[in-house]
Amino acid sequence: IMGEFMGYLPMTLIMALSASLFVALVINPVLSARYQKIKTNKPAKKRASREPLIKQFYLVLLKWSLRHRWLVIASAVILLIAATLAFVFFGKGTEFFPDTEPRRAYVNIKMPEGTNLDTSDQLVARIENIVSEYEDIRYIIANIGAIGGDPFSQGGTGTHISRVVLDFKDLHDRSRPSSEIVKEVRQRILKTIHGAEVQVEKEEEGPPTGPPINIEIFGEDILMLGELAARARKIIKDIPGLVDLKDNFVKGKPEIRVRVDKEKSALMGLDTYTIAYTVKSAINGVKAGVYREGKDEYDIIARLPDRDRQSIKSLKRITVSGPQGEPIPLTSLAAVKLGSGIGAIMRLDQKRVVTVSGDVSGRLANDVIKDIDARLSQQIGWPKGYSFQFTGEQEEQAKAQAFLSKAFFACIALILLILLTQFNSLVTPLIILASVVFSLIGVFLGLLITGTAFGIIMTGIGVISLAGVVVNNAIVLIDYINQQLAKGLSSTEALLRAGAVRFRPVMLTAITTILGLLPMATGISFDFGKMAFDIGGESSQWWGPMAVAVIFGLGFATLLTLILVPVLCSLAHGFSGQASENRGQRTEVRGQMSEDR
């Protein structure tokens, strides 16, 4: 589901980069040959004195790093571990999708089974009066006696279920965040409305994933499942951040049960069918004939008057005709009492299940689930054969996390394959991929600084896209290092030369990417239609976590590319030189031994 939902992003990048490659290889050389001219100046003096201050500082830092290689590598490893642990202990945690300001909200009302439309209408009118006080709500749409589509209608529908839809003004026209209004409306309704189950939820963005909190309870006895669901709701209802708690156990409408005593009926010379037919005829009526008026026919129904059919006391006064026509009270033949049946039985994978679900407010769903799991495991003695599991959004989150993990490793594998064919070496691709791993330092620090949660989807995609940009910078640097080595320069000279020459393109690549993502991360852009700045757009709330990951990750990865990659290359050159020297010494010793022989 996540691949289908986010697939347009990689497809757009693939097409854009393919077109960019064509432009770089074909169009740009033609334009350069036509319009660019080479300036022939006299030999300049030492250019080092005219280098920008930041570049001079970088060269000094690079020289120091090459002299302290192991210290630089150890510092990078320690920083990676520290950033990871800091986010685990002090970060905002993980989330499935970013929490955005909703454009709509829904008030779902469930009254007791059998409630008529007039009563439901009166309750909905009271809720409409409450929400109509908010100026930021543009439209209010009420559905009374809703059938299907509502969270409460699973397994049962009717006149007792209603919904009120709140449509907010545009984001820039609101005087306050819509999430605050939803929270306030929920509190006011819960304090004002009694005798009904009310749920206030905001519109969810993204693909359908199920509720943030979704607990499925499995077992055989549906009544026991309903009891366990009620106990679970009672135990977890006061957990901070958990709101709109409900379950889909349907008790069924109230009913009057007439249980016939077959032994007494047999002594009186009656059977169950006769008694049942008498009760049915008295309440529902029986067709006594047909009344004709012209071409129209009307059925003549005989039954008790309304006053004798409105209470259980009136039903108990019904008499049944005996074999000789004598009246026998119904209470002498059967027990009459109130009760309720099972409204619906839900199954999942052929197992009976009752679902307890809810929403979160002010906390991450993962943190709330940890508290719920602890309470349900400790405070409910689950009978044998009964169990629970978390599904809904958590199930989709686990699937998406597994999918993105595979996609990330597939991305790394493809990059490694291309680098192996390009450099014909195993060490060089590993150095380039090391910069990708260390770029996670910037990602975690960025999330900590901005107070952003690690989004499984948005931040995950940001990390995957970050790998491609970081690899490009490292390739540009290492390719020039190899060119200088091929010209006969020593390892240190080649590294310093490559750092000085490739400093500007690497920095420009990072700066342009960061500047391009800043509007998405900060929510500040320019509306050319209105010729005004647009602050706090809805899209920035959705794409912001991805932009934050790429901005901070790329900023830190640029430093790694310019410092750590040359250090790793220097270390690799040292090992390869030592290995070559050892091989030469061994060859020399063998030759001397053969001469002695």
Side-chain angles (χ1 to χ4, degrees):
I1 294 177
M2 296 304 110
E4 294 178 359
F5 180 69
M6 300 298 298
Y8 66 91
L9 179 62
M11 285 191 291
T12 304
L13 285 176
I14 289 171
M15 290 186 287
L17 288 176
S18 300
S20 175
L21 181 63
F22 175 78
V23 171
L25 295 178
V26 178
I27 306 298
N28 286 348
V30 174
L31 295 176
S32 298
R34 176 66 180 84
Y35 297 105
Q36 282 190 335
K37 295 180 180 181
I38 300 176
K39 295 180 180 180
T40 56
N41 296 328
K42 295 180 180 180
K45 296 180 180 180
K46 293 182 180 180
R47 301 186 59 180
S49 59
R50 295 186 300 172
E51 294 288 355
L53 185 62
I54 184 173
K55 192 172 182 180
Q56 295 180 27
F57 174 76
Y58 162 67
L59 291 175
V60 172
L61 180 61
L62 180 58
K63 291 177 183 179
W64 182 89
S65 301
L66 292 176
R67 290 195 301 267
H68 304 83
R69 297 177 299 185
W70 288 109
L71 179 60
V72 172
I73 295 173
S75 301
V77 173
I78 292 173
L79 193 56
L80 176 61
I81 297 173
T84 305
L85 293 177
F87 182 78
V88 171
F89 290 106
F90 304 106
K92 206 174 178 182
T94 59
E95 63 182 2
F96 193 30
F97 276 107
D99 191 13
T100 60
E101 291 296 328
R103 288 175 290 183
R104 293 182 185 85
Y106 306 97
V107 182
N108 301 303
I109 309 105
K110 180 182 179 182
M111 300 189 69
E113 299 281 345
T115 303
N116 56 34
L117 276 176
D118 293 335
T119 306
S120 298
D121 187 19
Q122 294 175 5
L123 183 63
V124 170
R126 293 172 59 189
I127 294 176
E128 287 178 320
N129 291 333
I130 294 174
V131 299
S132 61
E133 299 175 6
Y134 296 90
E135 296 179 355
D136 291 332
I137 298 178
R138 179 170 50 180
Y139 302 121
I140 301 172
I141 305 168
N143 298 317
I144 304 167
I147 298 179
D150 295 335
F152 289 126
S153 65
Q154 299 179 15
T157 59
T159 57
H160 63 291
I161 298 174
S162 303
R163 164 179 277 196
V164 179
V165 182
L166 312 179
D167 190 273
F168 294 99
K169 294 180 179 179
D170 292 336
L171 181 65
H172 302 292
D173 297 333
R174 299 172 196 165
S175 60
R176 54 191 296 201
S178 55
S179 58
E180 292 184 5
I181 298 176
V182 172
K183 185 176 181 180
E184 186 175 319
V185 166
R186 180 187 296 114
Q187 294 174 350
R188 290 187 59 185
I189 290 178
L190 292 179
K191 290 180 180 179
T192 306
I193 305 300
H194 302 286
E197 191 174 349
V198 181
Q199 174 192 355
V200 183
E201 62 177 8
K202 62 182 182 179
E203 184 181 38
E204 297 294 336
E205 298 285 351
T209 56
I213 308 299
N214 203 72
I215 310 166
E216 292 179 349
I217 304 175
F218 297 93
E220 288 297 325
D221 188 355
I222 190 66
L223 297 178
M224 175 59 73
L225 290 177
E227 182 181 343
L228 290 173
R231 288 166 58 187
R233 289 180 58 181
K234 185 177 180 180
I235 290 173
I236 67 177
K237 67 179 181 180
D238 58 343
I239 290 180
L242 180 60
V243 296
D244 296 336
L245 199 59
K246 63 182 184 297
D247 63 70
N248 64 350
F249 177 70
V250 183
K251 298 179 181 179
K253 294 182 179 180
E255 60 187 18
I256 299 175
R257 295 177 179 174
V258 180
R259 292 189 174 273
V260 178
D261 190 332
K262 295 183 179 180
E263 294 182 359
K264 289 184 178 180
S265 303
L267 292 174
M268 297 288 186
L270 296 171
D271 54 17
T272 304
Y273 174 78
T274 304
I275 300 171
Y277 185 78
T278 303
V279 175
K280 178 185 176 182
S281 301
I283 303 300
N284 289 339
V286 62
K287 185 178 179 180
V290 176
Y291 170 73
R292 292 184 178 86
E293 186 175 347
K295 296 181 179 180
D296 298 327
E297 292 185 353
Y298 303 94
D299 293 335
I300 300 174
I301 305 298
R303 59 180 180 181
L304 292 176
D306 288 342
R307 63 177 182 275
D308 295 330
R309 293 186 284 112
Q310 298 299 326
S311 65
I312 192 171
K313 293 182 179 179
S314 301
L315 183 62
K316 290 181 178 180
R317 290 198 293 267
I318 295 176
T319 58
V320 182
S321 298
Q324 307 298 327
E326 68 278 13
I328 302 174
L330 178 63
T331 52
S332 301
L333 304 172
V336 182
K337 61 181 181 180
L338 287 172
S340 62
I342 298 174
I345 298 177
M346 275 66 70
R347 287 184 174 86
L348 182 65
D349 295 333
Q350 299 182 356
K351 297 179 182 178
R352 292 183 175 183
V353 61
V354 171
T355 304
V356 179
S357 59
D359 204 349
V360 292
S361 177
R363 294 183 68 192
L364 294 178
N366 291 345
D367 299 335
V368 176
I369 284 176
K370 290 179 183 178
D371 296 341
I372 293 175
D373 191 16
R375 290 197 183 186
L376 293 183
S377 301
Q378 297 173 4
Q379 300 185 26
I380 292 186
W382 294 93
K384 186 178 180 180
Y386 293 84
S387 60
F388 73 96
Q389 68 178 17
F390 292 98
T391 57
E393 184 179 289
Q394 293 300 305
E395 188 176 12
E396 291 297 331
Q397 178 176 326
K399 292 179 182 178
Q401 188 170 355
F403 167 73
L404 287 177
S405 300
K406 294 177 183 176
F408 180 75
F409 286 112
C411 164
I412 297 298
L414 289 173
I415 292 174
L416 180 61
L417 180 63
I418 294 172
L419 295 178
L420 286 173
T421 57
Q422 179 180 355
F423 292 102
N424 196 23
S425 168
L426 180 61
V427 176
T428 301
L430 291 179
I431 293 174
I432 295 174
L433 293 180
S435 62
V436 175
V437 176
F438 284 110
S439 67
L440 293 175
I441 300 174
V443 174
F444 290 132
L445 289 179
L447 296 177
L448 280 171
I449 293 171
T450 59
T452 306
F454 189 97
I456 298 299
I457 298 298
M458 308 310 295
T459 311
I461 292 176
V463 171
I464 293 175
S465 60
L466 179 64
V469 182
V470 173
V471 164
N472 291 342
N473 290 339
I475 291 174
V476 168
L477 187 61
I478 291 180
D479 182 65
Y480 196 77
I481 293 173
N482 292 339
Q483 292 180 22
Q484 300 305 307
L485 290 174
K487 291 180 180 180
L489 272 68
S490 65
S491 175
T492 303
E493 291 175 346
L495 293 170
L496 290 174
R497 176 66 178 165
V501 174
R502 294 305 187 193
F503 177 80
R504 188 169 74 167
V506 170
M507 290 296 295
L508 285 177
T509 302
I511 291 172
T512 52
T513 305
I514 290 173
L515 290 178
L517 289 172
L518 272 178
M520 187 183 297
T522 59
I524 301 175
S525 59
F526 189 79
D527 189 345
F528 289 94
K530 299 179 180 178
M531 298 302 293
F533 283 98
D534 188 8
I535 301 176
E538 292 180 346
S539 60
S540 65
Q541 299 176 3
W542 182 260
W543 295 100
M546 187 189 75
V548 167
V550 177
I551 288 173
F552 283 90
L554 184 57
F556 202 89
T558 302
L559 177 63
L560 293 174
T561 302
L562 294 172
I563 300 296
L564 188 61
V565 169
V567 169
L568 292 174
C569 288
S570 175
L571 205 60
H573 295 162
F575 283 136
S576 62
Q578 185 67 34
S580 300
E581 186 179 345
N582 292 337
R583 285 196 300 269
Q585 290 177 356
R586 285 196 297 269
T587 304
E588 209 175 294
V589 169
R590 290 195 194 99
Q592 194 171 15
M593 290 176 61
S594 60
E595 287 179 5
D596 293 341
R597 288 173 187 165

